[in-house]
Amino acid sequence: MPRRKTSARENTGPRKRARTFKVDESILDAPRFDFEPIIDADRDLAKHVLTINGQRTIDFTSREATLLLTQGILKHHFKINLSLPKGHLVPTIPNRVQYLTWAANLLPPTLRSQRITVLDIGTGPSCIYPILGTRLFPSWKFIATDIDDEAIRSARENCNNNNLNNITVLKTVSNDQLFSEEIRNEKPLLTVCNPPFFSQLYSHDDPAGTHSQLLTDGGEYAFLRKMAQESLLQESVLWFTSLIGCKDDVPNIVSFLRSSRINALRVKTAMLCPGGRTVRWAVAWSFGEEASEVTLMEDGQSKWRQQITIVPGRKYANQLGEEDIGGVVSSCFREMEWSVLDSLSSCSTRCFRAPPQSGFECCEIEAFVERRHGHGDFVVLLKAQQRGQMNAVEFKELCLTLREKISILLNS
């Protein structure tokens, strides 16, 4: 079933500036690529080397120098030969690797090594994310799309020249439809995207890429709103992700994803800053997996405290509240013939007493339910208020039984 859309100078849509907005994580670490063997192997690159404060670097404002460095890193570290048409953006490698790794880590560990399909929206002539992805995650298959004919031609050439048979490059008609039927048939599990950031360029701007790479109606905010709206119908995708170029757009797109128009179950953000250079932000959203995930772990404070984490499945996408989860917990305790102590219970906290002649007489357990803000999942904290004749091992076994019953009830 279907699931419940600039410029740094000019953006469309709501502009409620959230100065206190903080991303979920700041990722400063990125792969460090050794300059020396790359410089030694390329005399043309050596001509652009500068020494600043005893450190060797290049002039990153020079397209030629940046392209030579990118080609050198790809050839030396990834065994990739890259060519680019004139006038197109030159991809820098550390932040691309950083973004891909962050997106991959959103997936459950068991999926990262499996043969999954990943969609790159707006791949560009370098086809950089699929090319790097095939080296970082060899079992993955990529679908790369773009609206620009020259970008499509160049992307296919780069794939063919490097014998990358697990990348399929597809032409899309326009940004009005990012997920075609052909793409949906491939059943991608993850998407990556580096959208056009701007809605217009100014006369004094020195564009580093083509208009299709830099410009889109309404800027990146409008582009991502469109992508979010289309994501409602993409049932195979577990995580949608995108880079964001303008910091002010981050809280706005997050608000839109959490609004009733999209109702994303989980939304995550990150600040990517490889090597202290250009800062980019990233956003990811998910409507959850098909099945609800229920896990048990020790609270850490005491052996008489256990914690059940509940990640609702897609059919519940943002439809459950703390009271609903509390009702599920109560139903499971009643099934075990425990009674609810109404006098000690509230909306988020419930207290249960063991049945007579169960071996746990006089045992009382408190269950506190809390929704984790921004994650879409719930935590049920179980605490033995009155232990009676129950020991710590029996308490954990009871919590395991409760976890199993909650999982069965949510997934039935």
Side-chain angles (χ1 to χ4, degrees):
M1 293 179 60
R3 302 192 291 257
R4 310 250 162 226
K5 123 175 230 129
T6 78
S7 165
R9 301 184 181 92
E10 177 184 353
N11 292 294
T12 61
R15 282 295 171 264
K16 295 180 180 178
R17 189 169 297 210
R19 295 181 181 177
T20 59
F21 181 85
K22 292 184 178 180
V23 295
D24 296 323
E25 56 181 327
S26 297
I27 305 174
L28 303 180
D29 293 331
R32 299 284 179 172
F33 299 107
D34 189 359
F35 266 23
E36 302 306 324
I38 300 172
I39 295 171
D40 293 341
D42 192 333
R43 293 181 179 179
D44 291 331
L45 177 60
K47 298 175 184 177
H48 295 275
V49 173
L50 307 173
T51 302
I52 302 177
N53 296 327
Q55 297 279 332
R56 295 222 290 177
T57 184
I58 67 165
D59 179 8
F60 285 95
T61 64
S62 166
R63 183 184 186 278
E64 181 182 0
T66 306
L67 177 58
L68 289 169
L69 177 61
T70 291
Q71 290 173 327
I73 292 174
L74 288 173
K75 186 173 183 178
H76 184 80
H77 292 279
F78 297 95
K79 310 304 179 189
I80 292 291
N81 292 306
L82 179 74
S83 62
L84 274 183
K86 290 184 179 180
H88 285 262
L89 286 171
V90 177
T92 51
I93 304 307
N95 62 354
R96 265 66 176 183
V97 172
Q98 193 179 50
Y99 171 44
L100 270 177
T101 304
W102 175 78
N105 287 338
L106 296 170
L107 299 173
T110 54
L111 286 178
R112 295 173 204 163
S113 59
Q114 294 184 18
R115 184 166 178 78
I116 66 170
T117 299
V118 180
L119 171 64
D120 178 20
I121 300 173
T123 193
S126 65
C127 201
I128 192 63
Y129 289 115
I131 283 177
L132 286 174
T134 59
R135 293 296 193 254
L136 297 171
F137 309 98
S139 60
W140 289 9
K141 173 186 175 182
F142 282 84
I143 305 296
T145 67
D146 208 289
I147 63 172
D148 184 85
D149 289 328
E150 188 175 31
I152 290 291
R153 179 189 56 76
S154 176
R156 286 173 177 163
E157 284 183 0
N158 279 313
C159 293
N160 292 334
N161 292 341
N162 292 282
N163 298 315
L164 300 175
N165 299 321
N166 50 347
I167 300 175
T168 301
V169 181
L170 298 176
K171 174 81 162 57
T172 49
V173 177
S174 71
N175 287 337
D176 292 334
Q177 186 181 22
L178 303 175
F179 298 88
S180 65
E181 183 177 354
E182 188 174 8
I183 292 171
R184 289 196 295 272
N185 290 338
E186 294 288 342
K187 296 185 175 2
L189 191 74
L190 174 71
T191 74
V192 294
C193 178
N194 188 8
F197 292 150
F198 307 116
S199 60
Q200 71 178 83
L201 295 176
Y202 292 79
S203 58
H204 55 275
D205 285 334
D206 182 17
T210 64
H211 277 204
S212 65
Q213 290 179 307
L214 300 174
L215 300 175
T216 187
D217 290 341
E220 66 181 358
Y221 177 73
F223 184 96
L224 290 175
R225 281 174 61 101
K226 171 65 176 172
M227 181 176 168
Q229 289 168 337
E230 286 197 41
S231 72
L232 295 170
L233 302 175
Q234 315 312 315
E235 296 184 6
S236 70
V237 180
L238 181 56
W239 281 99
F240 302 86
T241 77
S242 178
L243 286 176
I244 299 177
C246 178
K247 183 179 181 181
D248 289 345
D249 283 331
V250 179
N252 293 322
I253 192 61
V254 167
S255 296
F256 184 71
L257 291 168
R258 289 176 176 162
S259 72
S260 59
R261 297 181 65 180
I262 304 299
N263 258 339
L265 184 63
R266 307 179 78 177
V267 179
K268 293 189 176 183
T269 55
M271 183 183 75
L272 309 177
C273 185
R277 296 191 62 81
T278 304
V279 176
R280 287 288 181 263
W281 294 265
V283 64
W285 67 98
S286 174
F287 298 98
E289 299 200 50
E290 289 294 341
S292 297
E293 182 182 344
V294 185
T295 56
L296 176 72
M297 62 180 296
E298 293 185 1
D299 180 68
Q301 297 185 24
S302 167
K303 61 185 178 182
W304 294 101
R305 292 164 65 101
Q306 297 283 330
Q307 179 177 297
I308 294 177
T309 301
I310 300 173
V311 182
R314 289 184 184 177
K315 67 179 180 179
Y316 298 114
N318 274 347
Q319 298 179 34
L320 299 180
E322 292 175 354
E323 190 169 355
D324 299 307
I325 297 297
V328 169
V329 173
S330 295
S331 296
C332 293
F333 267 107
R334 288 194 184 98
E335 187 179 333
M336 296 186 294
E337 299 183 347
W338 285 57
S339 58
V340 181
L341 302 178
D342 293 326
S343 60
L344 300 177
S345 299
S346 64
C347 179
S348 58
T349 305
R350 289 168 168 79
C351 199
F352 307 92
R353 177 174 291 163
Q357 300 178 345
S358 63
F360 302 143
E361 289 83 355
C362 302
C363 179
E364 294 180 2
I365 293 179
E366 178 187 274
F368 173 74
V369 179
E370 181 181 30
R371 180 170 187 166
R372 294 203 301 172
H373 178 69
H375 292 269
D377 52 9
F378 297 85
V379 172
V380 181
L381 178 60
L382 301 168
K383 181 167 58 175
Q385 294 287 70
Q386 300 292 334
R387 301 170 189 174
Q389 301 179 34
M390 179 181 288
N391 60 42
V393 173
E394 291 170 330
F395 173 65
K396 185 171 183 178
E397 290 176 351
L398 176 73
C399 294
L400 282 168
T401 301
L402 180 64
R403 183 205 71 80
E404 292 173 3
K405 290 185 177 296
I406 292 173
S407 180
I408 292 171
L409 185 57
L410 289 176
N411 291 311
S412 60

